[in-house]
Amino acid sequence: MDMLYPAGLQARHNVPWHNVREFGATGDGQTDDTAAIQDALDALPEAGGAVIFPPGHYLCETIRARSGVTFLGFSAWSYQASQKSTHNNGSTVLSPLHGDLECLLDWRDCMGTRIVGLTLDGQEKGEGMHGILSCHGGMEQNIAIEDCRIVRFSGSGVRLKKCWVWAVRRSLLGFNALDGLDASSSYDGWVIDNQFCGNGRAGVRGQGLAMVTLTANRIEWCRRAGILLGTHYTDQIQINGCNFDRNFGPAIEIEGGERCTTFAITGNLFRNNGWQRESEPELDCHVRLVRARGLTMTGNSLRGGTNDRGSETVSPSAAIRVQGLEDSVISGNALYHAAMRQLIADGGGHTRTVIEQNPGSLQLAHGMEHP
């Protein structure tokens, strides 16, 4: 630790920090380290500080966080295609001791809390367990999740309830039973440079979401949708520079109503979404936009595709499905071999909406050549 923090973090920056090993944590993947971790956290002054996790696998029950505290680990994780595998999980891993927990890290009412460089591995334990659960305490929180791998939870990797001012950056949130990130009813967020993969419902979900920017994320192999928004109040959402690949439903789905307004979808790449949804036509598409207002979708590139080995037919059946839009523009998108049957499936019912100049072509079944 001294080599990583020369002269001591506390001495250099006047920030108190505690090493969980010095409070009795073993990190051996077998011992209950709950008390040691909680003691290290609780021993920090009221103003906060840092809790450091040296490389190891720590088993614990729910850890109750505090405001102004940074959880600091050593990442060294990578993507692992096998949902069951723990290989490449990272140098510092936290896992639940058992399945009877609501969440692994409880951040409710916390402000200024950070987690950097840790893997949270739920190991598929329990039912509906979240990796991180946070809810506001009446004011802006300024919480952040950075360089983390949050995987295999029976709920969502991260669940934010009515959180204000938050960020998820440079992390992998995958193979969770529900969502990688469920930020429903939350506001003022940044979701940047992440990978969302193989989640059971959506990579990012927001049923009630406002003033959130999603930039430069890779979102793939999620079962219901890549990004799933709408139902009730959803407002001021930017989705730009993201790469969507082979989600088992729309890469982006927005289904709302009168209070579902103001979206900018620009500069994204879409490939082979709506995978294996032929029996559910509404989900057999790259993008599905229903009853949204004030929406622009411009400058995107969409195409169909096969699986990684090219051994199956391409998807989806339609590139873009739209219905009931108001004061919206869908224009200037490139639809190169974007779908099997329709480029734009228009259900009508629009008001003051422009859908034009989206050039493209249909894709044929795998193994057939275009004329």
Side-chain angles (χ1 to χ4, degrees), residues 83 96 98-103 121-131 151-157 175-179:
Q83 182 179 1
H98 54 76
D100 191 22
L101 303 174
E102 183 179 10
C103 60
D121 185 350
Q123 299 183 330
E124 301 176 342
K125 293 181 179 179
E127 184 175 348
M129 183 196 308
H130 306 304
V151 297
R152 300 200 302 166
F153 282 91
S154 55
S156 294
F175 314 122
N176 299 291
L178 293 179
D179 311 296

Side-chain angles (χ1 to χ4, degrees), residues 256-274:
E258 293 184 0
R259 302 187 68 194
C260 191
T261 68
T262 321
F263 302 88
I265 303 171
T266 59
N268 302 285
L269 300 176
F270 299 82
R271 175 186 176 272
N272 201 23
N273 298 285

Side-chain angles (χ1 to χ4, degrees), residues 229-363:
L229 305 176
T231 301
H232 57 287
Y233 178 77
T234 304
D235 183 61
Q236 299 183 64
I237 308 298
Q238 299 181 76
I239 304 172
N240 50 67
C242 295
N243 193 316
F244 299 90
D245 185 19
R246 197 175 174 178
N247 293 283
F248 291 76
I252 299 174
E253 180 174 3
I254 301 173
E255 181 171 2
E258 293 184 0
R259 302 187 68 194
C260 191
T261 68
T262 321
F263 302 88
I265 303 171
T266 59
N268 302 285
L269 300 176
F270 299 82
R271 175 186 176 272
N272 201 23
N273 298 285
W275 184 255
Q276 296 180 350
R277 287 288 190 172
E278 295 87 351
S279 63
E280 300 173 84
E282 289 190 349
L283 305 181
D284 187 8
C285 57
H286 290 293
V287 178
R288 180 172 182 259
L289 308 171
V290 179
R291 292 189 299 278
R293 302 181 175 199
L295 179 147
T296 61
M297 179 177 173
T298 62
N300 301 280
S301 182
L302 294 72
R303 56 160 287 196
T306 66
N307 72 352
D308 292 341
R309 294 175 297 277
S311 59
E312 300 179 47
T313 57
V314 298
S315 62
S317 295
I320 303 171
R321 294 188 183 274
V322 292
Q323 183 177 346
L325 302 181
E326 182 176 329
D327 295 335
S328 297
V329 176
I330 299 177
S331 181
N333 300 288
L335 309 180
Y336 170 74
H337 291 189
M340 295 285 287
R341 296 184 180 89
Q342 283 181 288
L343 294 180
I344 298 180
D346 191 344
H350 310 299
T351 303
R352 297 181 299 277
T353 290
V354 175
I355 303 174
E356 64 180 14
Q357 296 183 350
N358 298 287
S361 55
L362 294 177
Q363 174 69 290

